[in-house]
Amino acid sequence: MHKRFSNSILSAKQFNKNNLLEILDVSEKIERTLKKQKEIPLLKEYILATLFFEPSTRTRLSFEAAMHRLGGKVITSVGMQFSSLAKGETLFDTLKMVEAYADICAIRHPVEGASVLAAENISIPVINAGDGAGEHPTQALLDLYTINKHKSLIEKKLKIAFIGDIRYGRTIHSLIHLLKHFECELTFISPSEISLPEKYKNELNSHSISFLENENLNKAKGADVLYVTRIQEERFTDRKIYEKFKDAYIIDKDFVFKSCPKAIVMHPLPRLNEVSTNLDDTPNAVYFDQAKNGLYTRMALILKLLNINIE
Amino acid sequence: MHKRFSNSILSAKQFNKNNLLEILDVSEKIERTLKKQKEIPLLKEYILATLFFEPSTRTRLSFEAAMHRLGGKVITSVGMQFSSLAKGETLFDTLKMVEAYADICAIRHPVEGASVLAAENISIPVINAGDGAGEHPTQALLDLYTINKHKSLIEKKLKIAFIGDIRYGRTIHSLIHLLKHFECELTFISPSEISLPEKYKNELNSHSISFLENENLNKAKGADVLYVTRIQEERFTDRKIYEKFKDAYIIDKDFVFKSCPKAIVMHPLPRLNEVSTNLDDTPNAVYFDQAKNGLYTRMALILKLLNINIE
Amino acid sequence: MHKRFSNSILSAKQFNKNNLLEILDVSEKIERTLKKQKEIPLLKEYILATLFFEPSTRTRLSFEAAMHRLGGKVITSVGMQFSSLAKGETLFDTLKMVEAYADICAIRHPVEGASVLAAENISIPVINAGDGAGEHPTQALLDLYTINKHKSLIEKKLKIAFIGDIRYGRTIHSLIHLLKHFECELTFISPSEISLPEKYKNELNSHSISFLENENLNKAKGADVLYVTRIQEERFTDRKIYEKFKDAYIIDKDFVFKSCPKAIVMHPLPRLNEVSTNLDDTPNAVYFDQAKNGLYTRMALILKLLNINIE
């Protein structure tokens, strides 16, 4: 592992089981504390820079709220445009600038590897807030936290069904890197055109995680967790196949109540219609709680990277 | 009234006279306090989210300064684009996100009703910072505060003349909802093409507020308050009518000194040339003070919504 | 000098030698203090407004970090668009708004003179953060600080070589206004098409600063400071001349080690390829440190304008 990875969050691959348990534990402490008080003022003199080379209001605000809830300050560069790493020297120079102004930074960039480039070249901790087709490790951590909060990862072997675009769904790939450290059974439900890439299958096999692939939503029956992502029409060469699955994969109250009434339904958001709004008021729907959990896990990560302990 | 309205500011219609007097009173206290100190640190652990789905730098900065002067923190989403409530589920989901990250939010949206949708669905207080052709209640409150500060609303029956675009001027409509609770005489001066819509006349009548409509600026003679808005050429089918009034409705030093030398001149800003800059240095011009008053009234509203009292 | 200049930073021309020595001194104190602590909380109740009518992420973040490191708060208006001072009344009105919301402001505007207009009309201190072809005084101050930090301006007569676009390089022009107060020898290396404008030559002469102009990079031999700026193709009517100099003016390790091994290499950034990245890891390269120095000098300026002393 690169020397700099130790104080940056660049990939979901960088964690071992102990790291994860520690992050879950600190996140839980934070959630509990924020029920009693609005702020945990451990970072009063620290500055977070959020560098978003592509827009992602949801993720950016989550990081900024996390820093504020820790008493810290934020500088932000929304709307900087960089077409590619072909302008790499400018990205490098921009990052050097940030090093001078902030104590920690979160980077969102359309090009895979941008945050690694950052971590290799600047002296402050870097958090990958999504880089192109690459990783989105903080999303994976908040997903893991959500699963563990509602369905313990330790007490039983969870059945987790992923539904939708398994091939391009970056958040699913990052989450696989974390789930492989726990006992669980995974089911990947998608049209074969957008099924799980080989390398993730290999990784699951090498960790002895049993998994199943199928096109039929009924295979989600009895699941503890439904993790839904959007299917995009443009992924299909044959429009008919898209039409066939588009409606087959709508998760609604009826389906959940019949097939897996105790399941939690997750979605990385934004959703379109793949999760019906008729689920919103049910206890099964945890996708809004999931967003909230992003606050706690990001607070935990920021503290960890700055070597600050919550009592 | 919808249950949620009680802790949100959605419409100028929601206030009764006591509410208004209380807001004016707290705003005054705040203005007085800020003469002695830069900050009233009552909200040190609170986060305001400013969600501006259309740009309005003036209003946004006013809210953000208000929160900072209360010691609080701000997260902001400038430049989010939503074409219509047809994408309503996304707006809904976005709002749910904000609920997780902030303690109170101010929403500006091009579609009427957006802030009501917000208040109905999220658990934190919502302030309507302007929604399309709809309401702009905080502007109305700062206008009311400005009138009362310079010309008491209580001590005498004020003569208030509105000049310009009375038909589409959202700030005028919102202000009417507040003024109806006080003794006053209103004069609406505009070309008939852009005169006061029927429903506001009915409302004034039902509150026994006497008012006059006229095309002639001379009817503003003797007014205590001139409230000026811009006339837009595109409102007229006949260009000649526009040309006729364009120059008739320029409020300058000469006009004010002759017709109503004690009047205050207000404008919601931005102005073009309907209020002459030769007024800027006169005591009559209060439009810059008006902007400052937005700070005090917005601070008062934020405190009220969060149930925090200024001693 | 205009009455308002005394509490605004509008031009590099406004400083005398004592002013400069004082700013260098306070900046040094700040740099030393920030080695021991992250924040110098002297401005806890103050608000800085950064008004950027054209984007400059680097400069904006530097100001915002400076304010945060002083414990202060920031409101920002990125992306306001004003096509020209033909819309001057709106610029004026916008500035009046800022006066109501902030205690100090930094303005970046594409039109020369915008910050002077601001300082003349609003009651809070104004800092010119770059106005069109005009001035960029805070850049000049951080450049001066960088030179003095690495090569004392007092102890010896420094040899400073400027390389690149001397004609349009705004940062060079502003820096000349500061350097004229110190003993130094200047060399301006550029194609004659983009050489030093007459008025700066006159100014240097009137302060008895000796200087040399030449097209040949070799004249930089023995320099204490190399100040490099980018040459833009569009400045040349004859493409061949551009081609000739483009490669002649690349400052790299080889050149520096042979010609002026003790020189510091400065660049206002962003750079393209006129300073080779093979210099980045050498002690000669101070351009990233230069950016850091912007933090200290801007903190010093903000404190000075608000009449707050660092003990």
Side-chain angles (χ1 to χ4, degrees):
Chain A
M1 190 176 283
H2 192 281
K3 70 177 168 66
R4 296 274 313 123
F5 280 32
S6 57
N7 76 335
S8 287
I9 306 290
L10 302 177
S11 161
K13 285 182 250 179
Q14 80 187 74
F15 303 105
N16 61 31
K17 188 169 181 176
N18 279 342
N19 295 155
L20 295 174
L21 292 175
E22 188 199 334
I23 293 167
L24 293 178
D25 184 52
V26 175
S27 303
E28 257 173 59
K29 242 181 224 165
I30 288 170
E31 179 169 7
R32 245 181 296 128
T33 307
L34 286 183
K35 287 207 169 20
K36 294 172 290 179
Q37 62 197 62
K38 290 196 170 298
E39 191 176 300
I40 305 174
L42 294 167
L43 300 183
K44 273 188 165 300
E45 305 193 332
Y46 289 77
I47 298 177
L48 164 73
T50 51
L51 303 180
F52 276 58
F53 294 87
E54 67 178 9
S56 176
T57 303
R58 192 178 301 276
T59 302
R60 183 176 61 80
L61 292 188
S62 172
F63 273 107
E64 298 186 7
M67 193 61 183
H68 286 312
R69 293 287 186 215
L70 289 165
K73 296 145 198 286
V74 175
I75 56 177
T76 187
S77 65
V78 191
M80 293 196 296
Q81 297 305 333
F82 285 76
S83 52
S84 78
L85 277 181
K87 289 189 181 172
E89 80 283 20
T90 304
L91 176 62
F92 174 80
D93 285 4
T94 305
L95 294 168
K96 292 302 280 185
M97 161 193 76
V98 170
E99 174 185 41
Y101 301 155
D103 302 300
I104 183 170
C105 68
I107 297 179
R108 174 87 162 208
H109 199 282
V111 175
E112 198 171 340
S115 60
V116 173
L117 178 74
E120 285 174 354
N121 288 292
I122 65 178
S123 61
I124 61 173
V126 172
I127 303 176
N128 181 356
D131 58 345
E135 287 261 7
H136 197 353
T138 63
Q139 176 73 41
L141 286 163
L142 76 89
D143 287 344
L144 190 77
Y145 180 77
T146 303
I147 294 171
N148 189 53
K149 177 177 167 180
H150 294 279
K151 305 276 181 189
S152 167
L153 281 159
I154 306 300
E155 290 166 20
K156 67 170 272 203
K157 195 172 188 170
L158 292 179
K159 291 181 185 179
I160 303 175
F162 293 92
I163 298 149
D165 183 351
I166 314 288
R167 182 158 177 197
Y168 301 100
R170 174 172 69 173
T171 64
I172 293 175
H173 302 164
S174 285
L175 184 50
I176 285 173
H177 292 308
L178 304 189
L179 286 173
K180 74 186 181 199
H181 297 295
F182 298 89
E183 301 262 329
C184 55
E185 276 179 51
L186 309 185
T187 305
F188 298 100
I189 296 168
S190 73
S192 59
E193 282 79 0
I194 49 171
S195 64
L196 192 65
E198 210 59 33
K199 64 174 173 177
Y200 297 101
K201 292 185 203 175
N202 295 339
E203 193 173 350
L204 288 170
N205 283 328
S206 78
H207 283 77
S208 306
I209 305 290
S210 64
F211 66 93
L212 180 78
E213 296 184 272
N214 205 287
E215 294 201 337
N216 195 329
L217 186 58
N218 288 332
K219 295 294 176 187
K221 211 177 159 180
D224 298 295
V225 177
L226 301 181
Y227 191 106
V228 189
T229 63
R230 185 155 60 96
I231 293 185
Q232 291 170 291
E233 190 174 348
E234 58 269 34
R235 301 299 189 193
F236 296 86
T237 46
D238 186 344
R239 209 188 129 86
K240 271 186 215 145
I241 298 175
Y242 168 71
E243 293 293 341
K244 179 181 156 197
F245 289 105
K246 190 182 57 144
D247 294 330
Y249 289 167
I250 291 179
I251 308 300
D252 60 9
K253 210 167 173 171
D254 191 51
F255 172 79
V256 173
F257 282 25
K258 276 185 192 152
S259 303
C260 43
K262 296 200 169 172
I264 57 170
V265 180
M266 297 175 66
H267 194 297
L269 302 180
R271 65 169 162 178
L272 292 187
N273 65 343
E274 60 278 3
V275 172
S276 169
T277 55
N278 76 13
L279 267 172
D280 287 4
D281 290 329
T282 67
N284 306 79
V286 302
Y287 30 89
F288 296 130
D289 182 61
Q290 205 177 339
K292 231 171 242 178
N293 295 334
L295 188 71
Y296 314 132
T297 48
R298 287 182 176 119
M299 288 172 75
L301 291 174
I302 291 170
L303 285 176
K304 186 181 164 53
L305 290 176
L306 293 170
N307 292 312
I308 307 285
N309 291 317
I310 179 166
E311 92 292 2
Chain B
M1 191 177 285
H2 192 281
K3 69 178 167 66
R4 295 276 312 124
F5 281 33
S6 58
N7 75 335
S8 287
I9 306 291
L10 301 177
S11 162
K13 285 181 249 178
Q14 80 186 74
F15 303 105
N16 61 31
K17 189 169 179 175
N18 280 341
N19 297 154
L20 294 174
L21 292 174
E22 187 199 335
I23 293 167
L24 293 178
D25 185 54
V26 174
S27 303
E28 258 173 58
K29 241 181 228 168
I30 289 170
E31 179 169 6
R32 244 181 297 128
T33 307
L34 286 185
K35 286 206 172 19
K36 294 173 290 180
Q37 62 197 65
K38 290 195 170 299
E39 191 176 300
I40 304 174
L42 294 166
L43 300 183
K44 273 188 166 300
E45 305 194 332
Y46 288 77
I47 298 176
L48 163 74
T50 52
L51 303 181
F52 276 58
F53 294 87
E54 67 179 10
S56 175
T57 302
R58 193 177 301 276
T59 302
R60 183 176 61 79
L61 292 188
S62 172
F63 273 107
E64 298 186 6
M67 193 61 183
H68 285 311
R69 293 285 186 216
L70 290 164
K73 296 146 199 285
V74 175
I75 55 177
T76 187
S77 65
V78 191
M80 293 197 298
Q81 297 305 331
F82 286 75
S83 53
S84 78
L85 277 181
K87 289 190 180 172
E89 81 282 19
T90 304
L91 176 61
F92 174 80
D93 285 3
T94 304
L95 295 168
K96 292 302 281 184
M97 162 193 75
V98 170
E99 173 184 42
Y101 301 155
D103 302 300
I104 183 169
C105 69
I107 297 179
R108 174 88 163 208
H109 199 284
V111 176
E112 199 171 339
S115 60
V116 173
L117 178 74
E120 285 174 355
N121 288 291
I122 65 178
S123 61
I124 62 172
V126 172
I127 303 175
N128 180 357
D131 58 344
E135 289 261 6
H136 196 353
T138 63
Q139 175 73 42
L141 287 163
L142 76 89
D143 288 344
L144 191 78
Y145 181 77
T146 303
I147 294 170
N148 189 53
K149 176 176 169 180
H150 295 278
K151 305 277 181 188
S152 167
L153 282 159
I154 306 300
E155 290 166 21
K156 67 170 272 202
K157 195 172 189 170
L158 291 179
K159 290 181 184 177
I160 303 175
F162 293 92
I163 298 148
D165 182 352
I166 314 287
R167 183 160 176 195
Y168 301 101
R170 174 173 70 172
T171 64
I172 293 174
H173 301 164
S174 286
L175 184 50
I176 285 173
H177 291 307
L178 305 189
L179 286 173
K180 73 187 181 199
H181 296 296
F182 298 89
E183 301 263 327
C184 54
E185 277 177 50
L186 308 184
T187 305
F188 298 100
I189 296 168
S190 73
S192 60
E193 282 79 0
I194 50 171
S195 64
L196 193 64
E198 211 58 34
K199 63 174 175 177
Y200 297 102
K201 293 185 202 174
N202 296 337
E203 192 174 351
L204 290 169
N205 284 327
S206 78
H207 283 77
S208 307
I209 305 291
S210 64
F211 66 94
L212 180 79
E213 295 184 272
N214 205 287
E215 293 201 337
N216 195 328
L217 186 58
N218 288 331
K219 295 293 177 187
K221 211 178 160 179
D224 298 296
V225 177
L226 301 181
Y227 191 106
V228 189
T229 63
R230 185 154 60 96
I231 294 186
Q232 291 171 291
E233 190 174 347
E234 58 270 33
R235 301 299 189 193
F236 296 84
T237 46
D238 186 343
R239 209 189 129 87
K240 273 189 213 139
I241 298 174
Y242 168 71
E243 293 292 343
K244 179 181 155 198
F245 289 105
K246 190 183 57 146
D247 295 330
Y249 289 168
I250 291 180
I251 308 300
D252 60 10
K253 210 167 174 172
D254 192 50
F255 173 80
V256 173
F257 282 24
K258 277 185 190 150
S259 303
C260 43
K262 296 200 167 170
I264 56 168
V265 180
M266 297 175 66
H267 193 296
L269 303 180
R271 65 170 162 178
L272 291 188
N273 65 343
E274 60 277 3
V275 172
S276 169
T277 55
N278 76 14
L279 268 172
D280 288 4
D281 290 329
T282 68
N284 307 78
V286 303
Y287 30 88
F288 295 131
D289 182 60
Q290 204 177 341
K292 232 170 241 177
N293 295 333
L295 189 71
Y296 314 133
T297 48
R298 288 182 175 117
M299 288 173 74
L301 292 174
I302 292 170
L303 286 176
K304 185 180 164 56
L305 291 175
L306 293 170
N307 291 312
I308 308 283
N309 291 317
I310 177 167
E311 89 288 3
Chain C
M1 192 176 285
H2 192 282
K3 70 178 166 66
R4 295 275 312 124
F5 280 31
S6 58
N7 75 335
S8 287
I9 306 291
L10 301 177
S11 161
K13 284 181 250 179
Q14 80 185 74
F15 303 105
N16 62 31
K17 188 169 180 176
N18 280 342
N19 296 154
L20 294 175
L21 291 175
E22 188 199 334
I23 293 166
L24 293 179
D25 185 53
V26 174
S27 303
E28 257 173 59
K29 242 181 223 166
I30 288 169
E31 179 170 6
R32 245 181 296 128
T33 308
L34 285 184
K35 286 205 170 22
K36 293 173 290 179
Q37 62 197 64
K38 290 195 170 298
E39 191 176 301
I40 304 174
L42 294 167
L43 300 182
K44 273 188 164 300
E45 305 193 332
Y46 288 77
I47 298 177
L48 164 73
T50 51
L51 303 180
F52 275 58
F53 295 86
E54 67 178 8
S56 175
T57 302
R58 191 177 302 274
T59 302
R60 182 175 61 78
L61 292 188
S62 172
F63 273 107
E64 298 186 7
M67 192 62 181
H68 285 311
R69 293 287 185 215
L70 290 164
K73 295 147 199 288
V74 175
I75 56 176
T76 188
S77 66
V78 191
M80 293 197 296
Q81 297 304 333
F82 285 75
S83 51
S84 79
L85 276 182
K87 289 189 180 172
E89 80 283 18
T90 304
L91 175 62
F92 174 81
D93 285 4
T94 304
L95 295 168
K96 293 302 280 184
M97 162 193 75
V98 170
E99 174 185 41
Y101 302 155
D103 302 300
I104 182 169
C105 69
I107 298 180
R108 174 88 162 206
H109 199 284
V111 175
E112 197 171 339
S115 60
V116 173
L117 178 74
E120 284 173 355
N121 288 291
I122 65 178
S123 62
I124 62 172
V126 172
I127 303 176
N128 180 355
D131 58 344
E135 288 262 6
H136 197 353
T138 62
Q139 176 73 42
L141 286 163
L142 75 89
D143 288 344
L144 191 77
Y145 180 76
T146 303
I147 293 171
N148 190 53
K149 177 177 168 181
H150 294 279
K151 305 276 180 188
S152 167
L153 281 159
I154 306 300
E155 290 166 21
K156 67 172 269 201
K157 196 172 189 171
L158 291 180
K159 292 181 183 178
I160 303 175
F162 293 92
I163 299 149
D165 182 351
I166 314 288
R167 184 160 177 193
Y168 301 99
R170 173 172 71 172
T171 64
I172 293 174
H173 301 165
S174 285
L175 184 51
I176 284 172
H177 291 308
L178 305 189
L179 286 174
K180 74 186 181 198
H181 297 295
F182 297 90
E183 302 262 328
C184 54
E185 276 178 51
L186 308 184
T187 305
F188 298 100
I189 297 167
S190 74
S192 60
E193 282 80 359
I194 49 172
S195 64
L196 192 65
E198 210 58 33
K199 64 173 174 177
Y200 296 102
K201 292 186 202 175
N202 295 337
E203 193 174 350
L204 289 170
N205 284 327
S206 77
H207 283 78
S208 307
I209 306 289
S210 64
F211 66 93
L212 180 79
E213 296 183 273
N214 205 288
E215 294 201 337
N216 194 328
L217 186 58
N218 287 332
K219 294 294 177 186
K221 209 177 160 181
D224 298 295
V225 177
L226 301 182
Y227 191 106
V228 189
T229 63
R230 186 154 59 96
I231 295 185
Q232 291 171 292
E233 190 174 346
E234 58 270 34
R235 300 298 189 193
F236 295 85
T237 47
D238 186 345
R239 210 190 128 87
K240 273 187 214 144
I241 298 175
Y242 168 71
E243 293 291 343
K244 178 181 156 195
F245 288 104
K246 190 182 58 145
D247 295 330
Y249 289 168
I250 291 180
I251 308 301
D252 59 10
K253 210 168 175 171
D254 191 51
F255 173 79
V256 173
F257 282 25
K258 276 185 191 152
S259 302
C260 43
K262 295 199 168 171
I264 57 169
V265 180
M266 297 175 66
H267 192 296
L269 302 182
R271 65 169 162 178
L272 292 189
N273 65 343
E274 60 278 2
V275 172
S276 168
T277 55
N278 76 14
L279 268 171
D280 288 3
D281 290 329
T282 67
N284 306 78
V286 303
Y287 29 89
F288 295 131
D289 182 61
Q290 206 178 338
K292 232 170 241 177
N293 295 333
L295 188 71
Y296 313 133
T297 47
R298 288 181 175 119
M299 288 173 74
L301 292 174
I302 292 170
L303 285 176
K304 185 180 165 56
L305 292 175
L306 293 170
N307 292 312
I308 308 283
N309 291 317
I310 177 167
E311 87 286 3

